[in-house]
């Protein structure tokens, strides 16, 4: 029972991951199956309890009738006793039906909870497809443009009039202090939010007016600071990027991510543990990268993928990410500013606004906020 509830909880926690990798249907099916198995077990337990209750009721009835028969045979004028006994019997007999009433109530509550959970998981996003929206044609290395985009949440301005263009095959870095709006840029691009004003374009098409959400997210391979490893094998975790992938495809993605398998106990069949507890931080990130590579998105979205790793592991992983970025359009968020030396453009955000932009070298020459942050980290 606990394992089934664990699957349901894991699905709830994988809401964004499911949408990013286009696996909402898979997650809904997982929840449906878990609920069905839980329902079967509850039904079996209820039947057992009901049989026991009916047996007890039958025994009580038999005993009471026997008692009344003895009283009658003995010609005892015990009308009051008989009434008490009859009331006791009726109380026990009627009480035997309580489990059925409770069972019906629990069943109705479970059906309601399942319907609510199903609606939550199956929800495409807070931003529905516009009338007339169509799937976007998948092209290698598409262009991305933010045009005067502002976004507010809970009455607080997160982004303010942000504009930039990432041409086909380019790499754009997003840097700045925590809370400056960097991750919000990616979430808007993935269409988890709608801008308060302004427009976002992919290959010249407005992502909110012209493109369906599923086809838009199919373009992106995402690697985040949270590797989002779930309780399963390495094979399961990588294959999430392309359900039904063969072992050859999974191994090819692992090699591309420089995840060294067949070394000791690190094989496709290794259990990753809850949230990747049985893997090192570097291994978790390489599994996450292999999953993104297997998806074969034409745009890589990198959100602090090397944060929390030691310098040696971080540099090794960054080299792998740089190699992948050369084959795609890339948006990269990082606090490791040295990792953006090869970026075509870097945007420095402060308070939700782009206050500096340019290449690494040009920003260093400006000796502004970017320059100060680079030197502060040396």
């Amino acid at each position: 029972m606990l394992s089934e509830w664990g699957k349901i909880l894991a699905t709830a926690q994988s809401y964004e991951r499911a949408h990013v990798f286009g696996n909402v249907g898979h997650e809904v099916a997982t929840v449906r199956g878990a609920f069905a198995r839980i329902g079967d077990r509850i039904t079996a337990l209820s039947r057992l309890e009901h049989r026991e209750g009916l047996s007890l009721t039958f025994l009580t009835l038999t005993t009471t009738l026997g008692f009344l028969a003895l009283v009658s045979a003995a010609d005892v004028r015990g009308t009051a006793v008989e009434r008490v006994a009859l009331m006791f019997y009726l109380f026990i007999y009627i009480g035997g039906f309580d489990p059925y009433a409770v069972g019906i109530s629990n069943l109705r509550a479970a059906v309601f909870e399942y319907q609510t959970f199903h609606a939550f998981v199956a929800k495409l996003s807070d931003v529905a497809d516009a009338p007339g929206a169509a799937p976007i044609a998948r092209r290698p290395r598409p262009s991305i443009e933010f045009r005067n985009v502002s976004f507010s949440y809970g009455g607080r301005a997160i982004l303010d009039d942000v504009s930039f263009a990432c041409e086909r095959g380019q790499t754009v870095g997003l840097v700045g202090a925590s809370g400056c709006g960097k991750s919000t840029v990616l979430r808007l691009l993935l269409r988890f939010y709608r801008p308060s004003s302004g427009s976002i374009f992919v290959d010249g098409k407005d992502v909110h007016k012209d493109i369906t959400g599923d086809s838009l997210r199919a373009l992106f391979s995402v690697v985040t600071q949270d590797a989002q490893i779930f309780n399963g094998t390495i094979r399961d975790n990588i294959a999430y990027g392309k359900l039904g992938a063969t072992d050859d495809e999974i191994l090819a993605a692992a090699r591309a991510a420089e995840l060294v398998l067949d070394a000791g106990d690190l094989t496709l069949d290794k259990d990753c543990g809850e949230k990747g507890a049985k893997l090192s931080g570097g291994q978790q990130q390489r599994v996450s990268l292999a999953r993104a590579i297997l998806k074969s998105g034409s745009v890589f979205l990198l959100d602090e993928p090397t944060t929390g790793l030691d310098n040696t592991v971080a540099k090794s992983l960054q080299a792998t990410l740089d190699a992948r970025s050369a084959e795609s359009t890339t948006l990269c968020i990082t606090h490791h500013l040295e990792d953006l030396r090869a970026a075509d453009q870097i945007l420095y955000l402060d308070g939700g606004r782009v206050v500096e932009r340019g290449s690494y070298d040009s920003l260093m020459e400006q000796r502004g906020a970017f320059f100060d942050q680079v030197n502060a980290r040396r």
Side-chain angles (χ1 to χ4, degrees):
M1 185 77 75
L2 290 176
S3 63
E4 302 300 344
W5 284 115
K7 292 177 183 177
I8 293 171
L9 179 59
T11 295
Q13 294 173 335
S14 70
Y15 174 74
E16 288 192 6
R17 183 184 67 206
H19 284 81
V20 167
F21 287 94
N23 292 335
V24 173
H26 168 75
E27 295 293 352
V28 169
T30 298
V31 171
R32 184 180 290 117
F35 267 113
R37 288 186 289 274
I38 290 171
D40 289 343
R41 295 179 188 180
I42 291 176
T43 300
L45 289 173
S46 296
R47 286 175 177 170
L48 178 61
E49 290 176 355
H50 293 162
R51 282 197 297 268
E52 292 175 348
L54 287 174
S55 297
L56 178 60
T57 300
F58 178 75
L59 178 61
T60 303
L61 172 61
T62 302
T63 303
T64 302
L65 290 177
F67 173 75
L68 292 175
L70 287 172
V71 169
S72 178
D75 194 24
V76 175
R77 300 182 65 181
T79 303
V81 175
E82 291 177 350
R83 288 177 180 175
V84 171
L86 184 59
M87 291 175 63
F88 176 74
Y89 154 67
L90 290 174
F91 176 77
I92 296 298
Y93 182 75
I94 294 173
F97 290 96
D98 285 348
Y100 292 97
V102 173
I104 292 172
S105 177
N106 288 340
L107 179 61
R108 293 178 62 184
V111 169
F112 174 77
E113 289 172 3
Y114 170 73
Q115 291 173 338
T116 303
F117 194 91
H118 182 282
F120 167 74
V121 176
K123 192 177 180 183
L124 289 177
S125 77
D126 289 335
V127 184
D129 290 338
I136 185 173
R138 184 160 178 166
R139 299 171 58 196
R141 300 185 294 180
S143 62
I144 297 170
E145 181 184 2
F146 275 56
R147 190 179 299 171
N148 306 115
V149 173
S150 297
F151 176 72
S152 298
Y153 185 81
R156 184 171 71 91
I158 308 299
L159 292 180
D160 182 13
D161 197 30
V162 171
S163 296
F164 69 89
C166 183
E167 302 298 336
R168 292 169 54 82
Q170 285 191 341
T171 294
V172 170
L174 302 172
V175 300
S178 296
C180 68
K182 303 184 297 295
S183 295
T184 302
V185 169
L186 300 193
R187 295 174 69 81
L188 286 167
L189 181 57
L190 286 164
R191 224 178 77 178
F192 288 132
Y193 299 144
R194 182 186 294 277
S196 303
S197 62
S199 301
I200 303 171
F201 300 88
V202 173
D203 267 348
K205 296 183 180 295
D206 190 310
V207 301
H208 290 283
K209 297 178 180 179
D210 304 327
I211 306 173
T212 60
D214 287 344
S215 67
L216 172 70
R217 297 184 193 104
L219 299 177
F220 303 122
S221 284
V222 182
V223 184
T224 64
Q225 178 180 350
D226 176 9
Q228 296 188 327
I229 304 299
F230 54 84
N231 196 354
T233 64
I234 289 179
R235 177 188 286 103
D236 296 335
N237 274 273
I238 296 177
Y240 196 82
K242 180 183 175 184
L243 296 179
T246 66
D247 276 3
D248 287 342
E249 291 175 308
I250 294 171
L251 287 170
R255 285 193 296 271
E258 298 184 19
L259 177 66
V260 181
L261 298 174
D262 299 322
D265 66 341
L266 194 64
T267 66
L268 286 180
D269 294 317
K270 179 178 177 60
D271 180 29
C272 297
E274 189 70 26
K275 295 185 178 181
K278 296 182 180 180
L279 302 178
S280 69
Q283 290 169 343
Q284 290 181 34
Q285 287 297 66
R286 291 199 180 275
V287 168
S288 177
L289 177 56
R291 178 195 298 155
I293 292 171
L294 182 62
K295 183 183 178 183
S296 298
S298 50
V299 178
F300 262 76
L301 303 181
L302 309 177
D303 190 354
E304 304 281 9
T306 62
T307 298
L309 305 178
D310 65 66
N311 288 336
T312 301
V313 174
K315 288 181 179 179
S316 176
L317 180 61
Q318 187 59 49
T320 306
L321 292 169
D322 289 342
R324 300 307 306 180
S325 297
E327 303 173 9
S328 65
T329 300
T330 304
L331 291 183
C332 178
I333 295 174
T334 183
H335 283 100
H336 300 282
L337 307 185
E338 295 284 346
D339 295 340
L340 296 174
R341 282 184 173 276
D344 297 282
Q345 183 180 191
I346 300 171
L347 309 177
Y348 191 96
L349 280 75
D350 184 17
R353 297 183 63 89
V354 178
V355 295
E356 294 180 17
R357 70 178 72 212
S359 66
Y360 183 93
D361 290 337
S362 67
L363 289 177
M364 291 299 288
E365 291 174 0
Q366 292 177 29
R367 293 181 172 271
F370 181 84
F371 175 86
D372 292 338
Q373 190 168 343
V374 170
N375 284 307
R377 290 182 173 274
R378 285 178 174 171

